[in-house]
Every structure is written in C-alpha cells, then in structure tokens.
Amino acid sequence: MTTSLILFFSLCAVLVVLLSLVVILPWLRTRPAADNQLMAINVQVFGERIAELDADKAAGVIDDAHYQVQITELKRQLLDAQSVAESHTPVGIKGRAIVMIWIPILVAIAYLTTADRTPVYALWQAQDTVGQVADDLLTGKIDTPPEWATKDSAALITAMQTNVHHHAHDANRWMRLSELFMMLEAHPQALEALARANRLEPDNEEMALTYAQTSFFVNQGRMDTTTQHILTDILAKNPNHEGAMMMMIMGEARMGNYPQAKAWIARLRSSIVARSGDHSEALGSLDNLVKNINEQEATIAQGISVEIGLEPTLSGRIGSDDVLFVAISEQAGGAPFAVKRMAASELKGGKLSLRLSDMDAMMPSRTLSSARAAGTPLVVNARISATGNATAQSGDLAANPVVLDKQTEVALTISQVIP
C-alpha cells in the first residue's frame, strides 16, 4: 500500500471518528443534576401556590369549587413536568458503541461502492513511484527520465500533468508539459499548455514566440487570430524581430495576402541589411521568396473567383467544428481539379469570397488550367460537412453545382441538406 493511500485513509478515519463524536456528543452528556434541580423548583413552586390558594380560601376570596379546580390544575402541571424529566433518560453504553462502530462502517461501504476508485489508486501509485522524476523534468533538473521511469510511460505522463496542475502558476512547467504533448503528437493539448504559459507570462517574448510557432505549424501554416495578435505584439515591442517577421511573411502568403507578405519581406530585408556582415545568402533567400510569391499571384489571378452564400435558415445547423469544401471537378465525376478545405465558421455573415486555381490542385498533373485548356466540362461545388469527410454524407449542407464555362466568376448558395 502506498504512502498516499495510507495517508488518505488515515485522514478519512480521523474525520469519521470526529463526525461520530459530533453525532453522539449529546448522548454523552448526563443531566440528572439539572433535571433534579428543576423538579425541586417545580415542587417548591407547587407548594407556594397551594399555600396561596389556602390563604385565599380562608380569606373568602375564592369559593370551594374554584379552589378545587386550581388544585387539580396545579397537580396536573406537576405530573407533566415530572413525566418530561423522566423521558430524557440517557442512552446506554451499548447504544453509543453501536453508533460509533456503524457510522465508520457505513461511510467506508458508501465510499467503496459508489464508484470505481481504481484510477485514484493508480494516480497515487504514479505519484509515489515517478512523482519526483516528473518534478525534476518539469523544473529542468534533468532533460531525460531514467530508464526505469520510462517503463510505465502512462504513469510518468500522469504524474507530470498532476505536478503541473499543483503548480498551476508556474509558466515554465506548462512550457515543458507542452513539449511532452508535442512529442506524443497531442497537438490540441500542447497548444492549451502553451496558451496557459503565455497567459501567465504575457511579457515573456520567448514563450509567446514558441506559442505562435507551434500554433502556426500545427495549423499547417495557417495564421489564426491568436497567432497574428501574438506576432503583432512582439513586433510592437521589438520591431526588428526577424523570427516574428518571417512568420508574418509565411502566414500572409498562406492566406493569399500577397501584398502584405511582400511588405513584410521588404521590412525584413531592411533589418538584415542594417546589420553588419555578409548576408548575401539570407538576402538571396528573400529574393527567391518574392519570386515564388509573384508566381503564386500570377497563378491565382488565372483562377476562378467563387462567391459563396448561405441560406439564412441553415445557419443554425453549422457547428463550430464543421468543415467547408469548395471544389471544381469534372461534370462526370472524379477527383477535383482544385479544392479548398476550410473552417465553416469562415462563412461570416453568410458570405465568403475565395479563389480556386492551380495552387489548389490535389495532384501536380491534374490542374484546373489544364482541364480548362482541354475543354473538360467542369462544375463548381460547395459543401459543409460536420464530420470533415471528403465525400458527401447524409446531413451535409450543399449548394446546387454551377457549370463552369468560360467565366472566371461563380456564385453559389448553400441551400439544401443532403438526405
């Protein structure tokens, strides 16, 4: 039995005994002296009242009938007081012992039978065996756990999580926990740990940048609002932070904001040139990046502009995790020539504008431009999926496909539910 288990049940036993004493404490108090004194007072008052009645009768204040009624009433009150005093008899030792024994037994039975306590015991076991190792890892005293501690990785992970929650205001522990989650490819948990670290130390530039970088790459190079806010804040404090500028370039380019991306490249170039030394390699990389962005702009300019609307009556059917698919495929069916997959929440206000081009091809040899050049009959589709499945399923929201001829602009309205 582990130390934690012994401590827990020892404290429980002490608490149960204390509660038992509270319950039977009134029984432990004996009150015969108080009761006898009260009865003596009652008898004294009774005698005084009788004497008063006798004096009133002798003086002719009251008649015999009234005298007898008052005497009878006084006797009745004295008998009632005596019966009440006798009813408060103390409980015997046997009764007290039964209560003191059964309360702990019933409490133990209730605790053990209301739920499965196996996970609790496993947590205590992990704390006793690898709790110190977890603390050393989270505080940086060691970089890798000893071999014996890795034999039960689940216990080590549990101990680390428990340790972090016991020191919830230590941002460094949250940072190291996020590294563990990243190693386990538990990306949502890693981002949550980094978010907590960032909230605890919002002025820590290194933590903020790590959070932004992790979020950026976990989201496959997409820059969400949180990441953009963090990078903007870093650049406001440190305008020449090259790492933050590089992430802004990649994020803006990924979102198709090419003018903003090139503006950040120009700013980064100025920062590099201002530093002493030979930076020709870095400048050459920026030149190649500008060239790639220009090529992407030209490719997208040759694509199709798609305006997507949503039937207002269907807005309540869209969940926070739903996925929007917009695709251009052959009219006869088959894999699309161009497809975009994004969060359905981007349909803000029921409208969304985007472009589909060769940049959105699933395969390099199967592009939108080649299909249009070959005169392949094409259609544009839009669908919202609750499961994120690439194939249509019952319950998905969809638009009527629009045939794509020579036009470069298409409008779709998601207005139906797939049966």
Side-chain angles (χ1 to χ4, degrees):
M1 185 174 292
T2 64
T3 305
S4 300
L5 189 64
I6 296 173
L7 178 61
F8 175 78
F9 280 111
S10 299
L11 293 175
C12 286
V14 172
L15 182 61
V16 169
V17 171
L18 291 176
L19 290 175
S20 300
L21 290 175
V22 170
V23 172
I24 68 169
L25 189 60
W27 296 355
L28 298 177
R29 296 175 179 172
T30 58
R31 293 172 296 172
D35 291 341
N36 290 339
Q37 183 179 4
L38 180 61
M39 179 54 68
I41 294 173
N42 288 334
V43 171
Q44 180 181 355
V45 172
F46 175 78
E48 293 174 352
R49 185 62 180 145
I50 290 293
E52 291 177 1
L53 289 174
D54 289 340
D56 290 342
K57 180 182 177 183
V61 176
I62 58 175
D63 56 15
D64 289 339
H66 185 72
Y67 175 79
Q68 291 298 327
V69 170
Q70 293 294 321
I71 290 293
T72 303
E73 179 64 20
L74 284 174
K75 290 180 179 180
R76 184 186 65 77
Q77 292 177 1
L78 183 61
L79 289 174
D80 287 343
Q82 184 177 2
S83 63
V84 170
E86 292 177 350
S87 66
H88 291 283
T89 57
V91 179
I93 297 177
K94 184 177 179 180
R96 300 174 187 176
I98 289 175
V99 173
M100 293 186 68
I101 293 172
W102 273 104
I103 286 181
I105 291 175
L106 293 175
V107 169
I109 292 174
Y111 177 80
L112 295 173
T113 58
T114 52
D116 182 14
R117 305 297 171 181
T118 304
V120 179
Y121 302 149
L123 175 61
W124 290 338
Q125 183 68 38
Q127 287 293 96
D128 288 337
T129 55
V130 294
Q132 187 58 50
V133 175
D135 188 79
D136 292 342
L137 286 169
L138 291 168
T139 54
K141 295 178 181 178
I142 59 175
D143 294 326
T144 57
E147 185 177 352
W148 62 267
T150 59
K151 292 180 180 179
D152 190 355
S153 57
L156 181 59
I157 294 170
T158 300
M160 291 182 70
Q161 289 179 288
T162 305
N163 184 289
V164 171
H165 283 280
H166 285 167
H167 303 83
H169 297 290
D170 189 339
N172 289 316
R173 293 177 191 257
W174 285 107
M175 284 286 292
R176 291 184 178 272
L177 183 63
S178 72
E179 294 173 3
L180 170 66
F181 283 135
M182 287 300 293
M183 290 173 57
L184 299 173
E185 297 186 358
H187 297 155
Q189 291 85 347
L191 288 177
E192 176 61 25
L194 285 168
R196 287 176 177 264
N198 181 246
R199 287 197 296 269
L200 289 170
E201 294 189 14
D203 295 328
N204 190 315
E205 188 176 284
E206 182 181 355
M207 285 186 181
L209 187 61
T210 301
Y211 179 28
Q213 288 173 339
T214 304
S215 176
F216 185 79
F217 291 112
V218 165
N219 292 319
Q220 300 178 345
R222 292 184 178 87
M223 185 169 59
D224 58 16
T225 305
T226 302
T227 304
Q228 190 172 25
H229 175 75
I230 292 173
L231 294 175
T232 303
D233 188 57
I234 292 174
L235 289 167
K237 298 174 183 176
N238 184 2
N240 295 323
H241 196 295
E242 295 180 2
M245 283 191 281
M246 194 64 203
M247 288 189 63
M248 291 294 290
I249 293 169
M250 292 187 292
E252 296 289 5
R254 184 59 186 266
M255 290 189 296
N257 300 327
Y258 298 115
Q260 292 90 330
K262 287 190 284 189
W264 282 111
I265 291 175
R267 183 171 169 177
L268 179 57
R269 177 186 292 278
S270 300
S271 176
I272 294 174
V273 170
R275 291 191 281 112
S276 60
D278 182 15
H279 305 290
S280 56
E281 185 176 351
L283 296 174
S285 298
L286 291 180
D287 291 336
N288 291 332
L289 187 56
V290 172
K291 181 181 178 181
N292 290 335
I293 290 177
N294 290 334
E295 291 176 354
Q296 292 178 22
E297 278 188 296
T299 301
I300 290 177
Q302 297 173 1
I304 305 299
S305 177
V306 182
E307 182 79 20
I308 302 173
L310 176 67
E311 184 70 28
T313 56
L314 299 179
S315 59
R317 299 177 64 101
I318 299 178
S320 58
D321 297 326
D322 288 5
V323 178
L324 171 64
F325 291 96
V326 184
I328 298 178
S329 56
E330 191 173 352
Q331 196 169 4
F337 292 98
V339 62
K340 279 188 182 293
R341 184 183 189 275
M342 62 191 72
S345 58
E346 294 192 28
L347 263 171
K348 298 177 181 177
K351 290 187 178 297
L352 176 65
S353 298
L354 53 87
R355 294 187 70 86
L356 289 173
S357 65
D358 290 350
M359 295 291 298
D360 305 302
M362 296 179 65
M363 296 178 288
S365 59
R366 189 178 175 83
T367 62
L368 177 60
S369 60
S370 63
R372 301 198 78 181
T376 305
L378 302 173
V379 292
V380 185
N381 297 281
R383 179 175 58 87
I384 296 176
S385 170
T387 61
N389 201 310
T391 58
Q393 294 183 329
S394 177
D396 289 354
L397 308 181
N400 289 319
V402 175
V403 176
L404 183 62
D405 193 10
K406 300 293 185 181
Q407 72 270 36
T408 58
E409 296 181 359
V410 173
L412 296 171
T413 299
I414 299 175
S415 58
Q416 56 186 333
V417 180
I418 297 178

